[in-house]
Amino acid sequence: MNNQKLYKGSLQTIILNLLDEKGRLYGYEITKLVKEQTQGELQITEGALYPTLHKLEGEGVLQVEMELVNNRQRKYYSLTKKGRLEKVKRLEDLARFLQTMEGLIAPKVKA
Amino acid sequence: MNNQKLYKGSLQTIILNLLDEKGRLYGYEITKLVKEQTQGELQITEGALYPTLHKLEGEGVLQVEMELVNNRQRKYYSLTKKGRLEKVKRLEDLARFLQTMEGLIAPKVKA
DNA sequence: ATATATACATAAGAAAGTTGGGTATATTTT
DNA sequence: AAAATATACCCAACTTTCTTATGTATATAT
């Protein structure tokens, strides 16, 4: 969790992928899920998450449903049609990025 | 080369690793090498590169030797002792990051 | 003669985070 | 009962890192 710099740029991809897997999630839930799934390695801060969700919603990539649970307001996000297309593109980009980085930092391992 | 956002945060690591491999390189050479080694996937812009080299030099991670070749000034960069230590740390961080991202985006592949 | 390649550099702005607040309710601990 | 923690949302100031657009200068290719 000390290499947060590297995660810069991948937050949107992570969100799109998670929402595609889970169907719908609310913000707070996303932070907990990611922390759990990465064994604490990645801590998404709320200061980063909420603005990103609003941005993706504004772009028509995400849609929102409000729900009152336990007298607390939740905003459930899910992918729109556009969001599902965008998610495919992002995952392709990420896969290529990961491949490239592995090729760059460990060419000896490959050979 | 349309997923540049993802590379945000990894430029310093790439530079440190390349310099460790090659011994010494000058700036322009780094852009050409990376482009070549990534089959054009990653284009390091000079606007990003030069300030980064200066920053790393300022931190004592890199050292410079000036050389006049073909009547053109080159600035050869190489790792300092501190730089070699820093490089190890950065590569560890990067490896963990890559692992985490693979785990996040392809849990089905792993299982 | 002109365009491209080599080789350095900076500065304005955009993008995407961190940090540090704030509000409100529910649950757990002291 | 009071205090602390967890749940659930939000925003604003600031920082880091990169893009885009320049600028300078020499060498080589068209």
Side-chain angles (χ1 to χ4, degrees):
Chain A
M1 221 200 34
N2 49 351
N3 51 342
Q4 295 295 48
K5 239 190 343 188
L6 292 169
Y7 291 94
K8 214 160 208 172
S10 47
L11 177 57
Q12 294 185 18
T13 306
I14 290 170
I15 292 172
L16 294 187
N17 186 59
L18 254 186
L19 284 176
D20 182 58
E21 275 179 357
K22 303 291 185 180
R24 59 172 219 162
L25 297 166
Y26 57 97
Y28 191 76
E29 194 179 13
I30 291 176
T31 66
K32 297 300 163 193
L33 248 179
V34 169
K35 184 180 178 185
E36 188 188 308
Q37 284 195 8
T38 63
Q39 286 87 47
E41 162 74 8
L42 179 52
Q43 289 275 84
I44 296 180
T45 62
E46 296 183 319
L49 179 64
Y50 289 117
T52 299
L53 289 174
H54 301 158
K55 191 187 176 218
L56 291 174
E57 187 195 351
E59 291 170 358
V61 168
L62 300 184
Q63 59 194 356
V64 187
E65 292 163 301
M66 303 289 281
E67 233 164 274
L68 196 65
V69 179
N70 263 350
N71 205 33
R72 281 204 217 85
Q73 201 56 240
R74 284 184 188 171
K75 291 178 77 175
Y76 277 96
Y77 289 90
S78 56
L79 297 180
T80 62
K81 199 171 301 179
K82 185 178 175 188
R84 282 188 287 278
L85 292 175
E86 185 64 21
K87 171 236 156 197
V88 171
K89 196 199 150 296
R90 297 296 185 98
L91 283 190
E92 283 169 0
D93 286 348
L94 181 57
R96 192 161 61 251
F97 163 70
L98 293 176
Q99 259 192 306
T100 300
M101 286 307 290
E102 274 154 13
L104 261 185
I105 67 156
K108 314 116 191 171
V109 180
K110 281 198 331 183
Chain B
M1 221 200 33
N2 49 353
N3 51 343
Q4 295 295 45
K5 241 188 345 188
L6 292 168
Y7 290 95
K8 212 158 208 169
S10 48
L11 177 58
Q12 293 186 17
T13 305
I14 290 170
I15 292 171
L16 294 186
N17 186 58
L18 254 187
L19 284 176
D20 182 58
E21 275 179 358
K22 303 291 185 179
R24 61 172 218 161
L25 296 165
Y26 58 98
Y28 191 75
E29 192 179 15
I30 292 176
T31 66
K32 297 301 163 192
L33 248 177
V34 169
K35 185 180 178 186
E36 186 188 308
Q37 283 195 9
T38 64
Q39 287 88 49
E41 163 73 9
L42 178 51
Q43 288 276 82
I44 297 181
T45 62
E46 296 182 316
L49 178 65
Y50 290 117
T52 300
L53 289 173
H54 301 159
K55 192 188 175 217
L56 292 173
E57 187 195 352
E59 292 170 359
V61 167
L62 299 185
Q63 59 194 356
V64 187
E65 291 164 302
M66 303 289 279
E67 231 165 275
L68 196 66
V69 179
N70 263 350
N71 203 33
R72 280 206 217 83
Q73 201 58 238
R74 285 184 187 168
K75 291 179 76 174
Y76 277 96
Y77 288 90
S78 57
L79 298 179
T80 61
K81 198 171 302 177
K82 184 179 174 187
R84 283 186 288 278
L85 292 175
E86 186 64 21
K87 171 234 156 198
V88 171
K89 196 198 151 296
R90 296 295 185 98
L91 282 190
E92 283 169 1
D93 286 348
L94 180 56
R96 192 161 62 251
F97 163 70
L98 294 176
Q99 258 192 308
T100 299
M101 287 306 290
E102 274 155 13
L104 261 184
I105 66 155
K108 314 115 189 172
V109 181
K110 280 198 333 183

